[in-house]
Amino acid sequence: RKEVEQDPGPFNVPEGATVAFNCTYSNSASQSFFWYRQDCRKEPKLLMSVYSSGNEDGRFTAQLNRASQYISLLIRDSKLSDSATYLCVVNSDYGQNFVFGPGTRLSVLP
Amino acid sequence: DAGVIQSPRHEVTEMGQEVTLRCKPISGHDYLFWYRQTMMRGLELLIYFNNNVPIDDSGMPEDRFSAKMPNASFSTLKIQPSEPRDSAVYFCASSGTAGANVLTFGAGSRLTVL
């Protein structure tokens, strides 16, 4: 089993739709969690950190469920510019062991 | 700050040649990472440094790969001899312990080995 797994893609949704991605991780000692976004042929960029109580940044909401070891990302009112690959990232300790999931590709269609 | 700077952006070489990829981390960041990304395997950590010292190189595929960080502002990843299966995008990233423990990536070096 991979350490970080994500929903298989691609997700093709119309503009304005709400879309949710899930991510599961296997290491129960994981301490910090992130969502990164990667555009085609570009580098990954931080979208948002994921906090235990859940957090929101505009149209994006991230949730963490430690008991079930999964993380989610909800995108509301999706825009064409949201089209990208979304990478779930887990840090297994307070060090620097960042493990990336395989990513889920989102295409928002006009 | 100019961000993490990598060079070259693209490299095409022939099997057996030596390849050297370069990275300049963000000033003040004390961690530097080298990742490799392919369609099949996604993003894989190759090695990371803390204060110029290699901490974990368990991801380095084999002895053909080596990485150095002679000072806080420069690192290299070398492949010698290169093979077609080394074709990938190689990303350098840096992070600082004083911040939010967040990785900032460079634009990547796209390597093609013929």
Side-chain angles (χ1 to χ4, degrees):
Chain A
R1 183 185 173 191
K2 292 185 179 178
E3 192 166 344
V4 180
E5 298 192 74
Q6 295 187 240
D7 282 350
F11 283 54
N12 298 315
V13 302
E15 266 188 293
T18 295
V19 61
F21 304 139
N22 289 329
C23 166
T24 57
Y25 59 94
S26 60
N27 187 346
S28 59
S30 298
Q31 297 290 343
S32 52
F33 310 90
F34 309 88
W35 285 100
Y36 276 69
R37 170 197 168 123
Q38 186 173 23
D39 292 295
C40 187
R41 301 180 79 83
K42 300 285 190 181
E43 72 274 22
K45 292 183 179 178
L46 178 69
L47 177 66
M48 59 196 301
S49 301
V50 185
Y51 302 121
S52 296
S53 55
N55 48 299
E56 189 174 303
D57 182 1
R59 298 181 293 108
F60 298 84
T61 301
Q63 296 280 350
L64 169 64
N65 185 320
R66 284 188 184 272
S68 302
Q69 294 180 204
Y70 85 81
I71 308 148
S72 65
L73 176 68
L74 183 77
I75 305 175
R76 292 182 300 279
D77 187 23
S78 52
K79 313 290 185 190
L80 296 176
S81 57
D82 293 334
S83 297
T85 296
Y86 290 82
L87 300 161
C88 175
V89 185
V90 172
N91 191 336
S92 64
D93 53 35
Y94 286 112
Q96 302 293 320
N97 184 11
F98 295 90
V99 181
F100 283 75
T104 300
R105 190 154 57 92
L106 171 67
S107 291
V108 181
L109 308 173
Chain B
D1 196 325
V4 177
I5 300 172
Q6 291 188 244
S7 65
R9 292 293 310 277
H10 302 274
E11 174 129 0
V12 180
T13 190
E14 293 188 346
M15 183 173 63
Q17 296 299 305
E18 179 177 294
V19 172
T20 299
L21 308 178
R22 299 173 178 79
C23 176
K24 175 177 164 49
I26 291 173
S27 177
H29 279 188
D30 48 7
Y31 283 87
L32 183 141
F33 304 78
W34 282 101
Y35 284 87
R36 177 172 68 176
Q37 187 174 39
T38 61
M39 288 292 293
M40 290 295 293
R41 302 172 68 91
L43 262 170
E44 301 174 282
L45 177 65
L46 300 177
I47 185 171
Y48 78 89
F49 296 83
N50 178 219
N51 292 322
N52 315 337
V53 176
I55 302 300
D56 183 353
D57 66 354
S58 58
M60 296 286 262
E62 49 198 90
D63 291 346
R64 297 184 298 106
F65 285 68
S66 62
K68 294 182 180 179
M69 192 166 185
N71 57 62
S73 59
F74 184 66
S75 177
T76 59
L77 178 67
K78 189 170 293 188
I79 308 172
Q80 167 64 17
S82 58
E83 297 182 2
R85 61 193 169 119
D86 302 330
S87 298
V89 180
Y90 291 81
F91 287 106
C92 177
S94 68
S95 72
T97 51
N101 203 29
V102 168
L103 287 174
T104 302
F105 284 82
S109 295
R110 183 174 296 273
L111 173 66
T112 302
V113 183
L114 304 174

